[in-house]
Amino acid sequence: MAARGHVQDPNDRRLRPIYDYLDNGNNKMAIQQADKLLKKHKDLHCAKVLKAIGLQRTGKQDEAFSLAQEVATLEPTDDNSLQALTILYREMHRPELVTKLYEAAVKKVPLSEEYHSHLFMAYARVGEYKKMQQAGMALYKIVPKNPYYFWSVMSLVMQAISAQDEKLAQTMFLPLAERMVEKMVKEEKIEAEAEVQLYFMILERLGKCVEALEVIRGPLGDKLTSELQSRENKCMMLYQRLQRWPECNALAHKLLLKNPDDWQFYPSYFDSLFHLMDQSWSPPEEGEHCSEGLVHHTVAEVVRFVEERIKGEDGKDSRSLRGPYLARLELMHRLRERGCPEESLLGDPLELMVQFFGKFGDKPCCITDLKIYLHLLSPEQHIQFINRLSEAVPLGEQGEEGFAFPEDTKALQRHLCVCQLSRALGLHHSLDMDGKLRLITELKAHYRHGLKFGKHALKTELQFSDMYCLMAAHVYIDLWTETGDENMAWQCLGILQEGLSHSSSNAQFKLLLLLLYCHLGAFEPVVDLYSSLDAKHVQHDTIGFLLTRYAESLGQFAAASQSCNFSLRFFHSNQKDTSEYIIQAYKYGAFEKIPEFIALRNRLNQSLHFAQVRTERMLLDLFLEADIVLSLEESVKAMSLSAEDDIPWDNMRDNRDLTVFTNWDPKERQLTDEHRRQSLEEESVWLRIRSLTLRLLASLAALGHTSSQQNSEISNENGVGDKTSVLSSLLSELSQTLQTAAQIAEKHIQYPFLGPPSTRLTQALSSGSCQCQAAALQLSVHLQELETAGLDDSSELQTQICNGFKSLVVQLQEILNKCKGDLLEMKESTLKTRPSLLENLIFFVETVCIVLWMASYCAKILRPLKTSLQKKKKKKKDANTALPVVVCGFQELTGSLQDLLNQALEHIKGQETGMTALKLASLTLEGYTQEEVSFTKAAMDKVQSSYLRSLQEVGDLLKKRAETIKNLKI
């Protein structure tokens, strides 16, 4: 709450205790205090609003809203009430109501600068750009201050950006904004840098690059001082857009003379050279080359310029700058791309890289600098290159193990760089199994030796030798993926756990551990690992997929709920936060940031991950609670779930960071654009299946709601026919999507281990759960037809429904059979995991839930039909007591479902008993130190404990579902 200033008004003194209670989170006392005050002062509007805030915060939203509306209809103009109502509406996520408040206040107090500016900000929160423009001008008329005028101009620009019709933006909004700024320029009223930035933004969006260039190079450009080289950067961008390559070249050359380490100008310098060569440009015979000065238009001149910068660095006593040396490699790369013979002028790439390593090999950035130019070496040179670099690494005497170690951190960094370059050249991958195991031993030895350099490091600092540990883990993963030997995975977990014990803040260790545990089917250890990463803000969108992909599929329902909440909390707060950022940008004149904030908001709203988490969270809540805590209909209502599609399929954004893992693999083993495209396609199809399942369940709930409320004749008038048609159209959409999914599954796409995880799609199809769920939902349409037809004239339909019941039981039995087998088993002193069995068990649980909901709907339809049939028989005194076919079929179905659940619970019990009996301590891991064995066994214990937790959660849920079968009696 806003801190109150010096109190003069007696009302402020009276309200002070309520503010204090609200600030301290004591909402009940705030409500009591407000009630006391209102007994004495009935017309104290602010006390009513403060009471409403207390009610809102204690979950009584409806009461709070009606109280607030009582005050709002009186159109208050006192500052306390307006501020309190603003806070309340923001907490209710109803910012549009704030605009109405201040519209009324401005009408009553038309000359208040404060209320006008609050009104402008209220419009900014809801993105009403046209009204913002009008409010800005109204403000400027009352108080002629520049910022208010430019608020109005910026609102015009925002109308242009958000306009659906690009033509309207280019012919109306932007030209009007340009004229408004030109008026201020002519009257020499431009005061601040933000105003020049805005003028530049308008001209740029209008494509008036020449005019924009004049502004930047003219007196207004002098105001651009907040960023270094702001003018030069803008000039460079405009020259490139105008394709004025001579000016581009000359400006880049001039700026590089000033600072030869400023990398951003090297690409512009080289680009402009090649454009000039393509145009066969030559300088005029007299006068300057161009307005920016001298132009280098031949390769020889550019080579000479780069060599001169390098000579300048070589001759320095202080540390050399990397820019010129990298520029030489970049130029060589570009000349080779174009097939220019002048490449030879620069020298031999191997020698140049060795020279670069000699100068900068002790910097951690050396690997990333050189990695992108390794393609300049021919395959025959790879081993020679690594040997040459190794000669430049100062190592001590060989120890007992036959390894020589570096004496200080700089030598360690050089040695590490050589190892990383070897891996990037594919030399690690080409080793045989024994060679890889020897390499791991060497990397571990270097890792442990290097720990002595970081003995006194803070907890939050990384160890100097951490990368050796990570690389050893990568080699273990190579061995695991190539040989399928799960021992390698356990050793990998062991070395990473050891690394984490010495370097508890290393995010790469945590990420790789997280991935390995998920691949082994253990989700329990992952929750703590992810929360210790302390992902901030947008990272919930970029790396959240690592967590949410595996949570539910590995049977940890409570953790899955928590994981989804992590992400959803961020996505929902993004809406509110972005509005605040936009308001701050207006206040401080950071106009160029406003479109960026809006782009960020759109990017997050259209995020694939957001849509996935939203859908999975709702499905999970239904699986865990529907018909257990609340009925399916009530659950669907509580979620405000409908059969409508709210996913922006056409604008879907894949914001996943698929390069979050440190990776030194050679190019042919890395993630390709094709992989990314396939992964996005697979994710979208799986999301569509899940979304359709969710919408079908919403439709089923709507049908169930109607059939329980009315009987069949009236229900047809009330649009059940319409609801059935929604259900049918969703079912046909699901069947088409499943066909697409089957085509994707047939491709058997394999992503790199450190690439995107595969979705659950292939396994969902191979287990048969998707097909069984669709069949169960399809039956609900036939049941609706039965309700309309009645039991007397529907023998064919009844037989069809009974066959459907039998088929469901067969399919469920098949899914359950695919879950059987040991999840964890010890064989010849190795521990083997079978996570696919656990994933199949989860599919069984999900499918059983959907079949039970269909059965519950069936019971609702059959009860009244059976009752009316019995009444008819009584009237006719019909002695024939044979039950209708469909009723018998339904009773068989419920009996079979009970059997299936008992089978599943028996299987789970057997697994729990077997797994608890496993004596991991008796495993003998030969050839490893005591410390390594303890870390590896600790990882095994975590996996065992996680499997037991999963089985327990699945068992508990199935027991609750088995209870619900008792309610299916007709």
Side-chain angles (χ1 to χ4, degrees):
M1 300 284 297
R4 318 304 293 165
H6 179 61
V7 179
Q8 282 120 358
D9 184 352
N11 281 343
D12 276 13
R13 194 185 66 249
R14 291 177 187 130
L15 295 167
R16 160 60 58 198
I18 310 178
Y19 281 116
D20 289 343
Y21 283 131
L22 287 172
D23 282 345
N24 298 327
N26 196 341
N27 299 312
K28 284 185 179 170
M29 283 302 294
I31 296 168
Q32 285 174 18
Q33 190 69 30
D35 282 335
K36 272 186 204 169
L37 194 53
L38 285 166
K39 277 178 189 166
K40 292 181 189 171
H41 305 275
K42 285 194 175 68
D43 298 332
L44 192 49
H45 304 319
C46 186
K48 264 190 192 174
V49 185
L50 293 177
K51 179 185 173 182
I53 292 175
L55 290 167
Q56 165 72 17
R57 290 178 184 176
T58 48
K60 295 174 183 168
Q61 281 88 349
D62 296 342
E63 275 182 69
F65 185 66
S66 59
L67 250 186
Q69 290 311 87
E70 272 179 43
V71 178
T73 46
L74 300 170
E75 300 184 346
T77 54
D78 65 296
D79 199 31
N80 285 339
S81 301
L82 289 170
Q83 291 281 4
L85 276 167
T86 303
I87 288 166
L88 176 63
Y89 288 148
R90 264 162 58 189
E91 286 184 13
M92 287 179 164
H93 305 295
R94 298 288 301 274
E96 70 282 358
L97 296 175
V98 181
T99 59
K100 293 188 173 69
L101 267 187
Y102 280 103
E103 280 167 3
V106 161
K107 274 180 194 163
K108 288 188 174 178
V109 193
L111 295 179
S112 164
E113 179 183 0
E114 187 185 354
Y115 290 172
H116 270 285
S117 67
H118 279 308
L119 177 61
F120 180 87
M121 295 310 176
Y123 286 141
R125 273 197 184 88
V126 290
E128 293 259 15
Y129 302 123
K130 189 172 172 57
K131 289 183 176 174
M132 284 163 71
Q133 179 203 342
Q134 293 160 350
M137 282 317 288
L139 243 176
Y140 183 68
K141 281 172 188 165
I142 302 166
V143 189
K145 290 180 183 172
N146 266 24
Y148 298 151
Y149 186 85
F150 282 93
W151 283 4
S152 185
V153 175
M154 185 62 209
S155 305
L156 265 173
V157 175
M158 288 314 299
Q159 283 179 71
I161 291 171
S162 60
Q164 298 294 322
D165 183 359
E166 182 61 27
K167 195 177 171 192
L168 194 65
Q170 291 293 327
T171 55
M172 189 171 105
F173 297 128
L174 290 171
L176 179 54
E178 184 191 11
R179 284 200 299 278
M180 284 178 74
V181 182
E182 278 174 355
K183 179 174 176 281
M184 296 297 267
V185 173
K186 280 174 190 156
E187 292 171 12
E188 296 186 355
K189 285 185 181 172
I190 298 277
E191 293 167 358
E193 177 180 4
E195 294 157 17
V196 181
Q197 293 271 25
L198 182 52
Y199 191 20
F200 176 77
M201 193 201 300
I202 295 165
L203 291 171
E204 192 190 358
R205 285 183 182 275
L206 277 167
K208 295 190 172 183
C209 296
V210 177
E211 290 85 340
L213 201 54
E214 284 167 13
V215 170
I216 299 300
R217 296 183 66 179
L220 287 177
D222 295 338
K223 294 188 186 295
L224 299 173
T225 53
S226 65
E227 287 179 36
L228 277 173
Q229 296 179 325
S230 176
R231 275 176 102 168
E232 290 84 348
N233 286 332
K234 284 186 165 56
C235 281
M236 184 68 83
M237 185 186 76
L238 291 168
Y239 286 144
Q240 285 170 338
R241 282 182 66 173
L242 288 165
Q243 300 194 349
R244 290 194 185 171
W245 304 118
E247 281 87 349
C248 196
N249 182 289
L251 179 60
H253 155 232
K254 207 158 52 179
L255 291 164
L256 287 169
L257 277 173
K258 220 188 283 180
N259 179 4
D261 205 36
D262 197 339
W263 182 258
Q264 62 177 329
F265 296 118
Y266 280 111
S268 309
Y269 181 49
F270 298 147
D271 286 341
S272 59
L273 162 72
F274 296 126
H275 282 294
L276 291 171
M277 285 166 63
D278 292 342
Q279 292 170 3
S280 311
W281 184 88
S282 57
E285 290 176 16
E286 288 178 16
E288 284 210 324
H289 286 188
C290 69
S291 58
E292 291 288 355
L294 192 66
V295 177
H296 291 162
H297 65 288
T298 64
V299 175
E301 285 176 303
V302 171
V303 169
R304 191 163 57 248
F305 175 76
V306 172
E307 294 289 1
E308 281 168 7
R309 300 289 72 70
I310 289 170
K311 270 188 194 138
E313 293 306 311
D314 287 344
K316 273 173 29 179
D317 295 334
S318 57
R319 183 102 195 215
S320 301
L321 300 170
R322 288 155 47 229
Y325 297 92
L326 280 174
R328 180 164 58 181
L329 290 167
E330 176 66 19
L331 182 57
M332 182 176 273
H333 155 65
R334 291 189 181 216
L335 289 169
R336 183 173 292 187
E337 248 185 355
R338 287 175 63 92
C340 293
E342 292 94 338
E343 182 200 330
S344 58
L345 294 173
L346 289 158
D348 175 16
L350 188 142
E351 292 301 331
L352 298 182
M353 288 198 215
V354 170
Q355 184 193 346
F356 186 89
F357 179 80
K359 280 193 170 297
F360 307 108
D362 55 0
K363 286 188 168 194
C365 59
C366 184
I367 171 69
T368 44
D369 287 345
L370 287 181
K371 197 172 151 190
I372 46 180
Y373 298 115
L374 289 176
H375 63 277
L376 296 174
L377 300 173
S378 63
E380 302 77 53
Q381 290 180 303
H382 289 176
I383 292 174
Q384 183 197 350
F385 174 61
I386 293 300
N387 290 342
R388 288 283 303 279
L389 295 188
S390 302
E391 289 163 16
V393 179
L395 296 175
E397 293 296 311
Q398 276 198 5
E400 293 167 20
E401 295 169 324
F403 304 127
F405 298 114
E407 300 290 335
D408 57 25
T409 52
K410 286 194 171 181
L412 181 145
Q413 196 56 57
R414 281 182 184 277
H415 183 264
L416 186 56
C417 186
V418 175
C419 294
Q420 290 169 318
L421 286 167
S422 305
R423 187 163 177 82
L425 287 167
L427 300 182
H428 288 183
H429 304 85
S430 58
L431 295 169
D432 60 7
M433 185 165 173
D434 289 340
K436 282 181 179 152
L437 289 169
R438 268 199 308 279
L439 173 64
I440 288 171
T441 311
E442 184 182 349
L443 289 169
K444 282 186 191 171
H446 273 279
Y447 167 63
R448 290 177 186 136
H449 172 266
L451 289 174
K452 69 176 188 185
F453 299 121
K455 266 184 186 165
H456 305 297
L458 298 174
K459 244 189 169 181
T460 49
E461 291 177 334
L462 305 186
Q463 290 289 335
F464 290 101
S465 58
D466 274 356
M467 285 301 185
Y468 288 120
C469 178
L470 191 63
M471 211 177 304
H474 279 208
V475 183
Y476 270 131
I477 289 169
D478 292 345
L479 284 168
W480 182 31
T481 48
E482 285 161 22
T483 63
D485 179 0
E486 211 161 301
N487 247 342
M488 296 302 148
W490 297 118
Q491 296 306 329
C492 185
L493 282 173
I495 186 78
L496 286 169
Q497 290 285 11
E498 182 184 341
L500 201 56
S501 70
H502 296 297
S503 192
S504 56
S505 297
N506 192 314
Q508 286 299 326
F509 289 169
K510 291 175 187 176
L511 286 165
L512 199 48
L513 276 167
L514 189 148
L515 192 64
L516 282 161
Y517 278 124
C518 287
H519 272 278
L520 291 169
F523 193 75
E524 197 177 39
V526 167
V527 182
D528 290 339
L529 281 168
Y530 187 82
S531 53
S532 73
L533 277 170
D534 199 16
K536 292 280 193 293
H537 200 72
V538 82
Q539 286 175 318
H540 286 300
D541 187 22
T542 56
I543 63 171
F545 71 94
L546 291 170
L547 193 65
T548 52
R549 154 64 184 89
Y550 293 102
E552 189 203 348
S553 62
L554 296 177
Q556 305 258 333
F557 301 126
S561 258
Q562 190 188 346
S563 312
C564 292
N565 285 347
F566 268 152
S567 290
L568 285 175
R569 207 173 298 132
F570 158 67
F571 283 114
H572 291 316
S573 68
N574 153 55
Q575 287 291 1
K576 198 167 77 223
D577 295 348
T578 312
S579 302
E580 296 310 311
Y581 304 150
I582 291 167
I583 285 168
Q584 295 306 318
Y586 270 108
K587 276 185 183 167
Y588 297 108
F591 296 124
E592 74 276 14
K593 293 291 169 214
I594 294 171
E596 290 177 25
F597 288 138
I598 289 183
L600 173 70
R601 179 164 65 193
N602 294 341
R603 178 185 144 185
L604 294 174
N605 285 343
Q606 295 161 1
S607 162
L608 166 75
H609 182 57
F610 181 28
Q612 285 171 326
V613 174
R614 223 170 40 217
T615 308
E616 290 296 340
R617 175 65 217 261
M618 288 196 271
L619 278 171
L620 185 62
D621 283 352
L622 290 179
F623 292 139
L624 294 179
E625 294 175 3
D627 283 351
I628 294 174
V629 181
L630 299 166
S631 70
L632 177 65
E633 292 79 15
E634 287 167 330
S635 298
V636 165
K637 191 181 170 192
M639 289 181 193
S640 314
L641 182 58
S642 77
E644 296 297 312
D645 193 359
D646 63 345
I647 295 174
W649 295 105
D650 297 336
N651 304 317
M652 189 80 82
R653 296 281 299 266
D654 183 4
N655 298 330
R656 294 173 301 165
D657 180 0
L658 299 178
T659 55
V660 66
F661 293 96
T662 297
N663 191 344
W664 304 279
D665 288 348
K667 199 170 182 187
E668 64 274 9
R669 284 172 170 262
Q670 287 191 356
L671 193 69
T672 61
D673 289 341
E674 182 61 12
H675 282 139
R676 287 171 187 273
R677 189 194 61 70
Q678 288 171 330
S679 170
L680 177 58
E681 182 188 12
E682 190 184 327
E683 294 282 356
S684 303
V685 171
W686 177 241
L687 173 60
R688 208 176 270 276
I689 292 173
R690 299 296 273 180
S691 166
L692 283 166
T693 308
L694 186 61
R695 289 161 61 201
L696 278 160
L697 291 173
S699 304
L700 180 64
L703 281 178
H705 192 60
T706 322
S707 64
S708 61
Q709 277 184 335
Q710 294 135 335
N711 79 51
S712 58
E713 289 136 66
I714 310 169
S715 64
N716 247 358
E717 293 165 26
N718 280 274
V720 173
D722 185 38
K723 285 175 180 169
T724 314
S725 71
V726 170
L727 198 63
S728 302
S729 71
L730 286 174
L731 280 164
S732 71
E733 211 180 315
L734 179 62
S735 120
Q736 285 170 352
T737 310
L738 287 174
Q739 284 171 10
T740 314
Q743 289 164 4
I744 290 175
E746 279 166 18
K747 292 179 189 168
H748 300 296
I749 300 161
Q750 285 292 316
Y751 302 109
F753 189 85
L754 299 176
S758 296
T759 64
R760 298 169 69 195
L761 184 142
T762 307
Q763 200 151 354
L765 291 174
S766 64
S767 69
S769 76
C770 281
Q771 299 84 329
C772 185
Q773 290 174 17
L777 291 161
Q778 183 67 54
L779 263 178
S780 56
V781 178
H782 298 318
L783 289 164
Q784 183 57 49
E785 291 165 12
L786 179 71
E787 185 179 30
T788 312
L791 290 177
D792 295 334
D793 315 316
S794 57
S795 58
E796 268 186 46
L797 183 58
Q798 289 188 45
T799 313
Q800 187 186 353
I801 290 172
C802 288
N803 289 340
F805 288 160
K806 284 174 188 159
S807 161
L808 283 180
V809 173
V810 171
Q811 289 180 54
L812 278 170
Q813 183 67 61
E814 281 175 6
I815 300 173
L816 185 56
N817 293 343
K818 287 174 186 165
C819 308
K820 293 189 174 165
D822 289 331
L823 289 172
L824 271 186
E825 53 184 349
M826 272 166 65
K827 269 189 184 171
E828 302 153 14
S829 79
T830 62
L831 186 64
K832 280 212 171 297
T833 60
R834 294 170 72 188
S836 62
L837 295 178
L838 182 57
E839 290 208 28
N840 282 344
L841 185 58
I842 306 307
F843 283 128
F844 172 76
V845 172
E846 289 184 3
T847 312
V848 160
C849 291
I850 289 173
V851 171
L852 283 169
W853 291 326
M854 183 279 301
S856 167
Y857 171 57
C858 183
K860 278 179 191 157
I861 284 177
L862 291 180
R863 276 183 203 123
L865 291 176
K866 188 183 168 194
T867 312
S868 65
L869 189 72
Q870 283 168 339
K871 280 179 187 171
K872 279 180 195 171
K873 283 184 178 175
K874 272 183 189 170
K875 277 181 190 171
K876 290 181 184 175
K877 298 198 168 118
D878 191 346
N880 179 14
T881 53
L883 284 172
V885 177
V886 70
V887 176
C888 299
F890 181 72
Q891 286 169 345
E892 271 179 41
L893 172 74
T894 53
S896 305
L897 286 176
Q898 189 72 59
D899 289 348
L900 277 166
L901 286 177
N902 290 339
Q903 267 188 60
L905 286 165
E906 277 300 306
H907 166 63
I908 289 170
K909 198 174 172 187
Q911 281 298 304
E912 285 178 328
T913 313
M915 208 176 286
T916 315
L918 284 180
K919 296 281 179 281
L920 297 185
S922 65
L923 270 178
T924 50
L925 301 172
E926 288 168 12
Y928 298 101
T929 65
Q930 194 56 46
E931 191 183 23
E932 283 178 322
V933 170
S934 70
F935 280 117
T936 306
K937 287 201 173 170
M940 289 177 170
D941 287 339
K942 284 181 181 176
V943 172
Q944 182 187 28
S945 149
S946 176
Y947 271 119
L948 284 167
R949 171 82 172 267
S950 297
L951 287 169
Q952 186 193 343
E953 289 203 28
V954 173
D956 289 348
L957 179 56
L958 285 177
K959 279 174 195 159
K960 288 176 188 169
R961 286 286 163 212
E963 284 296 308
T964 65
I965 295 182
K966 292 173 185 168
N967 307 330
L968 297 180
K969 293 205 168 53
I970 303 176

